[in-house]
């Protein structure tokens, strides 16, 4: 098993634990959203979430497929599809070059990066294989579910618990700052609780 598959398998195992749906993640995760963020077809996302192998593509095929995916899923502000001319302008190149890219699957890094930035895509959007891309897209989902399962996790990770433990060694100004931060958090939680009641 490659490193990418092993990493994805570990994330899927943990998500299965947190959701109580091991092996049934497509039922509880946003498959369409994951597809949109990764450029992986939704059917392949479902297969990968179920522990399947996904599709084997060479780099050129992957790049071509993801460029076509952008054309199909990203829309102009008026709701229409981007034309090849518009995509070429965004990439900073000509339509002929973009057409060649679609045939060969080998863009220049500069042009691919311009498209990636324009559409707000992840750094490896065009080149990451399917397990890598899905692994990356699942990280915020995993972090959110872990935070729900253990509300103190974010405090521990941010160092606030360790900071509070150092309170006896703090000077008055540092203690006041820490107290203000704690009060802000408590007030925010109270406001949420009041809004729910």
């Amino acid at each position: 098993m490659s490193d990418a598959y092993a990493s994805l398998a570990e994330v899927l195992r943990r998500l299965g634990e947190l959701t109580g749906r091991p092996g049934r993640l497509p039922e509880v995760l946003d498959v369409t959203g994951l597809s949109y963020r990764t450029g992986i077809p939704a059917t392949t996302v479902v297969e990968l979430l179920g522990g399947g192998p996904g599709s084997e593509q060479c780099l050129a095929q992957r790049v071509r497929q993801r460029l076509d995916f952008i054309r199909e899923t990203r829309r102009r502000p008026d709701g229409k599809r981007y034309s090849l001319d518009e995509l070429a302008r965004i990439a900073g190149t000509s339509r002929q070059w973009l057409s060649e890219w679609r045939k060969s699957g080998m863009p220049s890094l500069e042009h691919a990066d311009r498209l990636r930035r324009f559409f707000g895509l992840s750094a490896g959007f065009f080149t990451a294989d399917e397990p890598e891309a899905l692994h990356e897209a699942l990280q915020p989902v995993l972090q959110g579910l872990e935070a729900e399962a253990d509300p103190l996790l974010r405090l521990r990770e941010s160092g606030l618990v360790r900071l509070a433990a150092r309170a006896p060694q703090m000077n008055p100004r540092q203690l006041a700052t820490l107290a203000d931060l704690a009060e802000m958090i408590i007030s925010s939680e109270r406001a949420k609780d009041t809004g729910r009641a």
Side-chain angles (χ1 to χ4, degrees):
M1 183 182 289
S2 73
D3 289 343
Y5 279 104
S7 298
L8 178 60
E10 177 56 28
V11 168
L12 295 177
R13 183 196 63 73
R14 183 68 180 130
L15 285 169
E17 288 174 0
L18 291 167
T19 61
R21 302 299 270 280
R24 296 172 50 198
L25 291 173
E27 298 171 8
V28 294
L29 297 179
D30 179 8
V31 170
T32 304
L34 290 168
S35 173
Y36 187 82
R37 286 192 302 281
T38 60
I40 302 170
T43 55
T44 306
V45 170
V46 169
E47 184 178 341
L48 288 166
L49 289 175
S55 61
E56 290 292 323
Q57 294 179 319
C58 71
L59 179 61
Q61 290 171 320
R62 209 165 34 240
V63 170
R64 277 195 304 272
Q65 181 264 322
R66 303 247 169 101
L67 179 60
D68 288 340
F69 188 87
I70 288 174
R71 284 200 69 219
E72 293 300 320
T73 61
R74 287 0 186 231
R75 297 287 185 243
R76 299 184 331 203
D78 64 5
K80 294 182 180 176
R81 229 169 76 158
Y82 284 93
S83 69
L84 285 177
D85 286 329
E86 290 169 316
L87 288 176
R89 266 194 306 280
I90 292 166
T93 190
S94 67
R95 178 188 171 123
Q96 290 77 17
W97 177 88
L98 193 65
S99 294
E100 183 58 35
W101 175 13
R102 291 179 70 212
K103 290 177 191 166
S104 71
M106 291 296 142
S108 78
L109 292 176
E110 178 184 349
H111 297 137
D113 193 55
R114 285 184 183 180
L115 280 174
R116 181 192 70 76
R117 288 176 188 273
F118 180 84
F119 290 108
L121 305 168
S122 65
F125 181 85
F126 287 107
T127 58
D129 66 20
E130 292 168 346
E132 287 176 297
L134 187 57
H135 177 271
E136 184 68 27
L138 288 171
Q139 292 308 304
V141 175
L142 179 61
Q143 290 167 356
L145 289 171
E146 285 180 334
E148 287 175 21
D150 181 4
L152 294 178
L153 178 67
R154 287 177 44 209
L155 292 176
R156 281 194 296 276
E157 286 178 348
S158 68
L160 284 177
V161 171
R162 192 174 53 234
L163 184 62
R166 290 183 28 203
Q169 293 89 29
M170 291 182 178
N171 66 40
R173 185 181 55 78
Q174 291 170 323
L175 279 172
T177 302
L178 183 60
D180 289 343
L181 179 61
E183 184 57 38
M184 182 180 70
I185 292 169
I186 291 167
S187 295
S188 173
E189 288 301 310
R190 283 185 187 142
K192 284 183 192 173
D193 290 342
T194 303
R196 290 182 195 140

